Amino acid sequence: MEPVPTDFWGVVVPSWLGAVASIAASTVAVIAFINSLSAKGGVREIGKALNREPTEQGVRTRTLSAAATAAPEPWSFDGDGRVATFRNTSGQVVTVSSVSATAGVEATLRDQFPLDIPPDASFDVRLRSTLGGPAVRGVVLEWSQGDGELLSRTYYL
């Protein structure tokens, strides 16, 4: 039997180029995956830092003088991505008027609004992440205290 002639430029070279290109594409995909994991961790750290910040965001805009300080928030927040727990850390009853979620998260609550939360009591909100949502996700809590002013804050997951 005679050996079958191989078309070097028509078969061998394109096969080698395809193999090298697939190895390069796989390497780029692995690098992108590792970068996305580190970015996700960074977003989590930023969210934790923002949740620790004791600021109030009023639904109505407030003007504070230079000597005035914002009252401490009445909430402590603990969220693991599946359940968010809000605890009333103030010394008075706080009325929660709504809990909503940003894009990429669905929030469900067992109770109906308005919720009157006594001091040191807590309530849980079930969270479900949707696919393809943004990297920054959060839960928006709206409440009112004794003066009746409606306040809100976004707690990041």
Side-chain angles (χ1 to χ4, degrees):
M1 264 176 117
E2 289 183 34
V4 178
T6 304
D7 181 13
F8 182 76
W9 293 107
V11 175
V12 175
V13 170
S15 297
W16 277 94
L17 287 176
V20 169
S22 67
I23 290 171
S26 298
T27 304
V28 168
V30 167
I31 291 170
F33 178 70
I34 291 169
N35 284 341
S36 73
L37 290 178
S38 66
K40 190 175 183 180
V43 168
R44 258 192 233 116
E45 290 300 317
I46 291 170
K48 287 179 184 176
L50 288 172
N51 289 340
R52 284 190 302 263
E53 209 172 284
T55 59
E56 272 185 9
Q57 301 171 358
V59 173
R60 292 185 287 149
T61 47
R62 289 182 171 184
T63 55
L64 296 175
S65 67
T69 59
E73 280 193 5
W75 302 108
S76 70
F77 171 77
D78 184 33
D80 64 358
R82 291 176 292 182
V83 176
T85 303
F86 295 93
R87 180 173 302 282
N88 181 358
T89 57
S90 71
Q92 59 185 344
V93 175
V94 178
T95 302
V96 177
S97 57
S98 74
V99 175
S100 59
T102 61
V105 178
E106 293 176 5
T108 56
L109 185 65
R110 189 176 48 190
D111 302 316
Q112 292 183 345
F113 294 110
L115 292 173
D116 290 328
I117 309 297
D120 294 326
S122 64
F123 67 97
D124 293 334
V125 177
R126 287 238 176 258
L127 305 172
R128 193 175 129 249
S129 296
T130 58
L131 292 176
V136 179
R137 300 172 182 204
V139 178
V140 180
L141 181 68
E142 289 187 359
W143 74 91
S144 62
Q145 289 178 271
D147 59 0
E149 182 179 11
L150 188 61
L151 303 169
S152 73
R153 165 116 192 249
T154 303
Y155 292 90
Y156 298 96
L157 304 173

